[in-house]
Amino acid sequence: MKLIEEYLKEKRNDHLEELFSFLSLESISALPEHKEDIQKAAEWLVLALTNAGLENASIYETNGNPVVYADWLHAEGKPTVLVYGHYDVQPVDPLELWETPPFSPDIRDEKLYARGASDDKGQVFMHIKAIEGILQTNGSLPVNIKFCLEGEEEIGSPALPLFVEENKELLDADVIVISDTGMIKQGKPTICYGLRGLCGMEIHVKGPKSDLHSGLFGGAIQNPIAAISELLASFHDQNGVIAVEGFYDRVTPLTKEEKEAFEALQISDDSFIEQTGSPTLFGEEGFSTLERLWVRPTLEINGIKGGFQGTGVKTVIPSEASAKITCRLVPAQDPEEIVALLEKHIEAHKPKGVDVTVQLFDKGTPFVTPFDHKAIQAAGKAYETVYKVPTSYTRGGGSIPIVAAFDQILNLPVVLMGFGLPDENFHAPNEHFHLENYDKGLQTICHYWFELAEVW
């Protein structure tokens, strides 16, 4: 391992120059005018993967942006790892808030500033250079490696599930490794072993055919805003418990080991109050804050619309009102089943005097890989070897739909080992990546492949 670390140190400046060229490509998937930049980024990756010593580096066309694939499959009898990442980035608006141009990489205070530095080009690049470092010094890899790098993650990965479904044999592996997450804080390596799923809908309440004068008709007809308020209030009881019948039926309790891992993080409720600016915390009674955030399902009202919104008063009874709700789901909950339960609840609690319809949003399935799985524990050991502190094991409150798709389609354990930090402004102006984690991350990835080969 010493030779690998010396190689990476010797080549550090050269590698950062390469990363600069990758980050300078404006591969914004949300904007059609950057289609050519997306293609250039895919071509850049094919060359980088080939130069690193990987084989069969190719661009695969999809019904959206291309997927880049490469492999090295000469470790007989050893596990095969599928490394997933994405080369597309978020738009840069508002441009005026960037201290330096978003596609002109700049190092300040040992932080690399550029769009995509942390999410996810920088972390993808680390995996490529880790492979290069091992091959250049060791001549071979301790495990078999496949790369699957997409260009649509920032717009929801619309083309990737079909690509995975149609290329199961190409992507067949023993474990999936993704570095598109972060550490809970500087110097504290973190493995996320589960993510919540997602489902949602917009509820539309229709009353009279048009807005009506509240003096002429008030008291004679149902007010759609009052009706939707009544309906929304029916979703929870006063203790924050979701009151939709059957909503919790498939929720599995946290294991003792997981509870202990959460408690070991020593994250206080006061830190959440400080972070959010809320006067106090509130949530499902009987569970800790971390449990509510990571392993309990939620139902949140994201927006309400209806009636007069201008300055002053307009005395009307609105014709209609609407609200958007989303649910974060935990393993074993099925988004389709939850949607059906919500629709049943809405029908049962529909206020008198209005018509109610729903419009469904996209759905994502939750996933979890048991945190005592050997692939996850090997990753934890690799982190600890480099960072010299215990690894934290967390679940994520958010959703990454493609992770669940990998879990469902390929039926493989997923290891989320990220190196970003919460304050690195991914998706915001002045996105950056701490070079300390770039350097230590490279070493950690190299250690992981050897650890994984030992325990498999």
Side-chain angles (χ1 to χ4, degrees):
M1 187 59 67
K2 185 177 180 181
L3 286 177
I4 299 170
E5 292 177 356
E6 288 176 352
Y7 174 86
L8 294 174
K9 185 177 181 179
E10 177 187 338
K11 292 289 186 178
R12 185 179 190 262
N13 289 338
D14 292 339
H15 288 170
L16 286 175
E17 286 295 326
E18 288 183 53
L19 178 54
F20 276 26
S21 69
F22 189 27
L23 293 170
S24 69
L25 299 173
E26 302 181 24
S27 51
I28 303 172
S29 53
L31 303 177
E33 58 265 33
H34 288 282
K35 196 76 174 177
E36 186 176 335
D37 296 306
I38 288 285
Q39 187 66 31
K40 287 180 180 178
E43 293 169 357
W44 190 98
L45 282 169
V46 168
L47 183 59
L49 290 161
T50 302
N51 289 341
L54 288 136
E55 301 169 347
N56 301 310
S58 306
I59 291 176
Y60 285 75
E61 298 299 333
T62 71
N63 57 13
N65 292 336
V67 168
V68 176
Y69 172 86
D71 60 34
W72 190 95
L73 305 174
H74 304 292
E76 187 175 351
K78 296 299 183 179
T80 298
V81 180
L82 177 63
V83 177
Y84 163 83
H86 65 92
Y87 61 87
D88 65 319
V89 298
Q90 282 279 326
V92 299
D93 316 74
L95 185 60
E96 65 273 11
L97 295 183
W98 286 81
E99 293 182 27
T100 51
F103 294 106
S104 296
D106 184 53
I107 293 177
R108 303 192 298 275
D109 301 321
E110 281 300 294
K111 301 172 188 175
L112 173 56
Y113 286 81
R115 173 59 87 226
S118 180
D119 181 20
D120 181 38
K121 285 181 176 179
Q123 300 199 60
V124 166
F125 184 81
M126 288 161 57
H127 276 281
I128 297 173
K129 289 305 166 184
I131 295 298
E132 178 186 310
I134 297 173
L135 287 175
Q136 286 292 323
T137 57
N138 203 52
S140 63
L141 300 178
V143 295
N144 300 293
I145 294 284
K146 297 180 178 181
F147 276 83
C148 177
L149 307 174
E150 68 152 324
E152 294 186 326
E153 194 274 345
E154 299 293 6
I155 56 173
S157 305
L160 194 59
L162 179 60
F163 175 82
V164 175
E165 188 71 51
E166 292 178 344
N167 292 276
K168 288 182 181 179
E169 185 174 348
L170 179 72
L171 302 177
D172 185 41
D174 296 296
V175 61
I176 300 171
V177 173
I178 301 174
S179 296
D180 193 16
T181 52
M183 299 159 55
I184 57 174
K185 63 180 180 180
Q186 181 76 15
K188 190 63 176 174
T190 307
I191 294 176
C192 178
Y193 64 94
L195 294 168
R196 291 193 291 192
L198 179 70
C199 70
M201 62 178 59
E202 185 166 10
I203 305 169
H204 297 273
V205 173
K206 177 68 174 172
K209 62 183 180 181
S210 64
D211 290 358
L212 298 176
H213 192 294
S214 64
L216 296 178
F217 295 97
I221 62 170
Q222 173 69 283
N223 186 311
I225 293 179
I228 202 165
S229 298
E230 177 187 336
L231 183 55
L232 295 176
S234 74
F235 285 128
H236 297 85
D237 69 13
Q238 292 183 335
N239 296 316
V241 178
I242 297 169
V244 176
E245 186 176 355
F247 191 89
Y248 293 108
D249 285 358
R250 295 187 184 273
V251 178
T252 54
L254 202 62
T255 66
K256 178 185 176 183
E257 291 76 15
E258 288 175 301
K259 276 182 174 289
E260 291 172 351
F262 287 6
E263 291 168 359
L265 297 176
Q266 297 184 331
I267 301 176
S268 69
D269 284 355
D270 288 343
S271 68
F272 290 110
I273 292 175
E274 181 180 354
Q275 183 178 351
T276 63
S278 180
T280 186
L281 298 182
F282 176 79
E284 185 185 0
E285 194 172 55
F287 297 92
S288 70
T289 301
L290 290 184
E291 287 176 296
R292 294 169 186 164
L293 289 174
W294 294 344
V295 299
R296 298 297 297 174
T298 67
L299 188 159
E300 297 292 349
I301 301 162
N302 307 122
I304 302 176
K305 182 173 67 175
F308 177 64
Q309 304 294 324
T311 303
V313 177
K314 184 179 182 183
T315 55
V316 295
I317 299 171
S319 169
E320 57 189 9
S322 63
K324 296 180 180 181
I325 65 170
T326 52
C327 298
R328 298 289 177 171
L329 309 177
V330 297
Q333 285 187 304
D334 178 6
E336 298 285 352
E337 183 179 1
I338 295 299
V339 165
L341 293 175
L342 292 174
E343 290 177 326
K344 183 179 179 181
H345 178 92
I346 290 168
E347 182 61 31
H349 292 79
K350 182 173 73 174
K352 296 178 181 178
V354 291
D355 292 322
V356 179
T357 57
V358 299
Q359 177 185 352
L360 302 182
F361 297 150
D362 291 342
K363 297 179 287 290
T365 305
F367 109 95
V368 65
T369 296
F371 92 110
D372 58 356
H373 191 283
K374 57 186 176 183
I376 286 181
Q377 290 300 310
K381 187 174 180 181
Y383 270 123
E384 290 170 7
T385 299
V386 175
Y387 282 85
K388 310 300 183 186
V389 296
T391 300
S392 296
Y393 296 92
T394 70
R395 290 207 206 176
S399 308
I400 306 177
I402 194 56
V403 173
F406 275 128
D407 181 44
Q408 287 183 304
I409 298 170
L410 299 179
N411 193 29
L412 299 175
V414 181
V415 180
L416 298 172
M417 52 184 306
F419 300 93
L421 292 174
D423 62 353
E424 288 183 335
N425 288 11
F426 37 86
H427 292 207
N430 300 308
E431 178 182 349
H432 58 278
F433 191 30
H434 285 66
L435 290 181
E436 177 188 358
N437 287 332
Y438 168 81
D439 294 324
K440 289 185 175 180
L442 276 169
Q443 296 176 41
T444 301
I445 293 168
C446 293
H447 277 281
Y448 182 41
W449 301 145
F450 287 95
E451 290 286 351
L452 193 61
E454 285 292 320
V455 303
W456 205 270

